[in-house]
Amino acid sequence: ATPKRSKYDIVTLTSWLLDQEKSGNIDAELTVVLSSISMACKQIASLVQRASISNLTGGQGAVNIQGEDQKKLDVISNEVFSSCLRSSGRTGIIASEEEDVPVAVEESYSGNYIVVFDPLDGSSNIDAAVSTGSIFGIYHPNDECLADFGDDVSALDQEKQKCIVSVCQPGTNLLAAGYCMYSSSVIFVLSVGKGVYSFTLDPMYGEFVLTQEKVQIPKSRKIYSFNEGNYQMWDDKLKKYIDDLKIPDPKPYSARYIGSLVGDFHRTLLYGGIYGYPRDSMSKNGKLRLLYECAPMSYLAEQAGGKGSDGHQRVLDIQPTEIHQRVPLYIGSVDEVDKLENTAGATP
Ligand code: AHG
Ligand code: MN
Ligand code: MN
Ligand code: MN
């Protein structure tokens, strides 16, 4: 029987991870990787909260492989994440929104996990101190990648190809995924395949404290979260779907859009509704990246009894072919994503 908990039995992320390891849900190596990720998130939280004091707002003056003007904190968060993962010694390859190609980690001596991450999501919000976040996903190394690429390919290119093949895995292979939201609270949300758990950073002693267990997305909710600035570039079926949400029946849907996937997703996880980033006439695959935004969030959505779709299929079933490939994303309450797929998803 579980021992009676006194009111002082606070469950922290550290103690929760040890419990998960004891019950065999994760191994010791993955525990170390997840602890190092939570360390990176705590460091990024403190950098974000003091950004305008320490002159860390504004642009880095560089453009990333996505074609985006990098913020200073995009670059610094990427360095914080990378160095925490390196020092964990259990990470074999890292793939980041802010790295052109996956990076093999020499320092790993066991575990050898693949970690994909968006070190600072919603970074256009940072200068106005609006919610941002970090998103991550963890895979086993992909054995197929040991296949050789023929001796006409140079050793260096073979190495690069192996990294790319090892990282390009469908979301169904995820061992764990989560995010940290930097908002009025700093919230670390995680699943290791047995439901979604939420931890709130207690600034009193810098620990993530368990605040929600087995989070469930409400089956339906009249909230939609789309950037309607793109409305004119959407196809007719999607326009009709969005128009119908505005019919008072008896009340219309509420529109909520923060402009940070982590913030919009966290609200959707707790309140229900649908978040969408559709394809449009200018971006044929939408904006969000499959590997380190859509797949980790869809993994969490499904673990919480919700859905993550590209309009036709489960996001988790999509086999990535490129590290930074983009897919349309519709994610949240089952009934709301079903409704989208049945009305607007039919477009080829
Ligand atoms: P990132 O800051 O990591 O590049 O991601 C930004 C994404 C996502 O966080 C957000 O939902 C979306 O971009 C907002 O895009 P729009 O500004 O086009 O609405
Ligand atoms: Mn970006
Ligand atoms: Mn992002
Ligand atoms: Mn980002």
Side-chain angles (χ1 to χ4, degrees), residues 74 97-98 118 120-121:
D74 277 322
E97 178 198 351
E98 307 302 340
D118 175 355
L120 193 65
D121 173 68

Side-chain angles (χ1 to χ4, degrees), residues 64 66 68 74 97-98 118 120 122-123 289 293:
N64 65 12
Q66 324 285 340
E68 302 166 341
D74 277 322
E97 178 198 351
E98 307 302 340
D118 175 355
L120 193 65
S123 57
R289 285 56 57 116
E293 289 175 315

Side-chain angles (χ1 to χ4, degrees), residues 27-269:
D27 65 20
E29 317 286 15
L30 189 53
T31 306
V32 171
V33 174
L34 288 164
S35 302
S36 68
I37 287 171
S38 73
M39 185 63 229
C41 292
K42 281 194 245 182
Q43 289 174 31
I44 295 168
S46 70
L47 289 167
V48 161
Q49 279 160 358
R50 305 184 72 256
S52 35
I53 296 166
S54 31
N55 186 28
L56 288 182
T57 55
Q60 171 77 7
V63 178
N64 65 12
I65 190 160
Q66 324 285 340
E68 302 166 341
D69 292 331
Q70 284 178 308
K71 296 286 189 183
K72 287 180 198 163
L73 276 169
D74 277 322
V75 176
I76 296 170
S77 306
N78 187 55
E79 283 159 11
V80 166
F81 240 92
S82 304
S83 69
C84 282
L85 286 168
R86 283 180 193 290
S87 55
S88 79
R90 271 75 169 186
T91 307
I93 301 176
I94 56 179
S96 162
E97 178 198 351
E98 307 302 340
E99 300 284 350
D100 294 5
V101 292
V103 179
V105 177
E106 294 73 38
E107 294 88 334
S108 78
Y109 54 85
S110 69
N112 217 13
Y113 287 101
I114 313 282
V115 183
V116 298
F117 59 92
D118 175 355
L120 193 65
D121 173 68
S123 57
S124 60
N125 284 336
I126 199 74
D127 295 357
V130 176
S131 312
T132 52
S134 302
I135 308 170
F136 61 89
I138 304 174
Y139 292 94
H140 271 309
N142 183 1
D143 307 350
E144 278 108 75
C145 90
L146 303 180
D148 70 25
F149 292 86
D151 44 19
D152 54 331
V153 178
S154 74
L156 180 68
D157 285 349
Q158 288 222 25
E159 210 37 53
K160 274 192 189 156
Q161 278 305 321
K162 282 181 182 167
C163 279
I164 291 171
V165 170
S166 197
V167 170
C168 287
Q169 300 186 41
T172 40
N173 290 3
L174 278 164
L175 300 170
Y179 58 82
C180 192
M181 180 177 72
Y182 312 116
S183 183
S184 47
S185 293
V186 178
I187 311 241
F188 192 87
V189 174
L190 172 66
S191 176
V192 295
K194 306 268 182 192
V196 175
Y197 291 78
S198 179
F199 302 81
T200 303
L201 184 65
D202 184 337
M204 294 293 279
Y205 56 108
E207 269 289 347
F208 282 112
V209 174
L210 180 65
T211 40
Q212 270 188 285
E213 300 184 69
K214 293 212 178 277
V215 180
Q216 289 294 306
I217 300 185
K219 199 163 168 304
S220 64
R221 182 71 188 269
K222 288 186 148 187
I223 298 174
Y224 74 108
S225 187
F226 287 66
N227 179 349
E228 288 204 63
N230 299 325
Y231 179 89
Q232 290 305 337
M233 299 191 294
W234 292 340
D235 66 53
D236 291 344
K237 283 183 183 156
L238 184 64
K239 286 180 181 173
K240 170 95 177 56
Y241 162 77
I242 294 287
D243 294 345
D244 289 353
L245 298 185
K246 299 175 179 175
I247 296 167
D249 173 23
K251 285 170 60 179
Y253 275 55
S254 292
R256 294 283 184 276
Y257 195 74
I258 298 171
S260 152
L261 174 62
V262 169
D264 283 313
F265 178 81
H266 190 67
R267 181 202 57 249
T268 305
L269 179 73

